[in-house]
Amino acid sequence: MTTRLLLVEDEPALARGLADNFRDEGYEVRVEARGDVAVAAVREVRPDVVVLDIMLPGRSGLDVLRDLRSAGETLPVLMLTAKGDVVDRVVGLELGADDYLPKPFAVRELLARVRALLRRAAPKHPPEELTVGDVCFDFGALTATGGQAAELTTHDILVMKVLAAHRGELVRRIDVVEEVCGLDSEATLRTVDNHVMALRRAIGDDPRRPRFLHTVRGEGYRLALE
């Protein structure tokens, strides 16, 4: 199913650019430029996620957010704020915003944050236990036994937990960073590669002919179970 996104942004060039990027990622995008039509647009479109600027004509993004939450709307909302407006961020979070991003921002970060909000809104759960190769993972206790499991760290096991929750699907490295470490951490995409290398050693998976942990070049990893 196509993910529906409502973008409420009054800067025409920015709105066009963001909408194009979201559409390239496969989203169905509705763009509105005024705050006083945003609530009606939510009711009409029934989006899966809203990207909402704070400074809008007609009605501020904070007022729109307040109206949505007062009406019982629980869909995820990411607020776009002006750089340095800490008060607006705090107020937005207190009103029920799920995340915020100060301008100017990198489009890739916005895309990653929206994906993270959608995952949290419709979470997938890994099995409590999973055997991969020579190793049995207990995701509740965050332990692993068998094979070379003694060499695994807690973060290695957390990475396997994320892959197990989405087994059979591509999981982007930036999404693994966000789920395991948080976007504000100092972890990098290379950090994820290192965790996957450790997992491969532990489960006895040959990276040249992987049975379980498959690399999608330039994107991320996929856990395939036999």
Side-chain angles (χ1 to χ4, degrees):
M1 294 179 62
T2 302
T3 301
R4 296 183 300 275
L5 181 143
L6 174 63
L7 171 63
V8 190
E9 169 59 60
D10 66 321
E11 297 180 38
L14 178 59
R16 283 195 300 271
L18 294 180
D20 288 344
N21 275 276
F22 278 116
R23 289 182 180 120
D24 288 344
E25 291 288 312
Y27 292 82
E28 179 182 314
V29 183
R30 165 81 168 264
V31 180
E32 296 291 349
R34 297 182 59 87
D36 50 3
V37 301
V39 173
V42 167
R43 291 170 179 162
E44 178 184 346
V45 176
R46 305 311 306 171
D48 299 292
V49 62
V50 176
V51 176
L52 178 63
D53 193 15
I54 285 184
M55 299 298 293
L56 293 167
R59 194 164 180 77
S60 78
L62 293 175
D63 288 334
V64 172
L65 178 62
R66 182 184 292 108
D67 292 345
L68 289 174
R69 295 307 187 223
S70 296
E73 295 285 357
T74 60
L75 77 169
V77 177
L78 183 147
M79 307 291 294
L80 301 179
T81 71
K83 184 177 181 180
D85 282 350
V86 177
V87 173
D88 281 346
R89 298 179 207 170
V90 171
V91 172
L93 292 171
E94 289 178 344
L95 289 175
D98 298 277
D99 199 359
Y100 69 85
L101 194 58
K103 296 178 179 180
F105 52 81
V107 173
R108 288 185 64 184
E109 182 175 4
L110 174 60
L111 295 173
R113 287 181 179 272
V114 168
R115 287 197 301 267
L117 289 181
L118 289 167
R119 285 198 309 275
R120 290 198 291 268
K124 294 185 178 180
H125 302 287
E128 293 184 4
E129 294 184 357
L130 183 68
T131 298
V132 184
D134 302 324
V135 178
C136 179
F137 293 87
D138 183 330
F139 296 123
L142 291 181
T143 59
T145 55
Q148 302 298 316
E151 300 178 4
L152 294 175
T153 67
T154 300
H155 275 82
D156 294 332
I157 297 171
L158 284 170
V159 170
M160 179 60 82
K161 182 177 181 179
V162 173
L163 295 173
H166 301 272
R167 52 196 180 280
E169 303 174 10
L170 165 66
V171 181
R172 292 181 174 87
R173 290 183 295 167
I174 186 62
D175 295 334
V176 177
V177 171
E178 196 280 334
E179 289 202 30
V180 173
C181 307
L183 280 175
D184 295 329
S185 77
E186 295 181 359
T188 65
L189 300 184
R190 182 59 183 164
T191 303
V192 178
D193 297 336
N194 291 335
H195 288 308
V196 170
M197 288 172 59
L199 288 166
R200 280 176 168 153
R201 286 195 299 269
I203 64 178
D205 205 15
D206 184 349
R208 292 168 298 182
R209 297 179 180 176
R211 296 170 56 201
F212 306 109
L213 291 172
H214 296 265
T215 301
V216 180
R217 186 175 300 276
E219 293 288 339
Y221 298 97
R222 178 184 293 110
L223 175 62
L225 298 181
E226 297 178 340

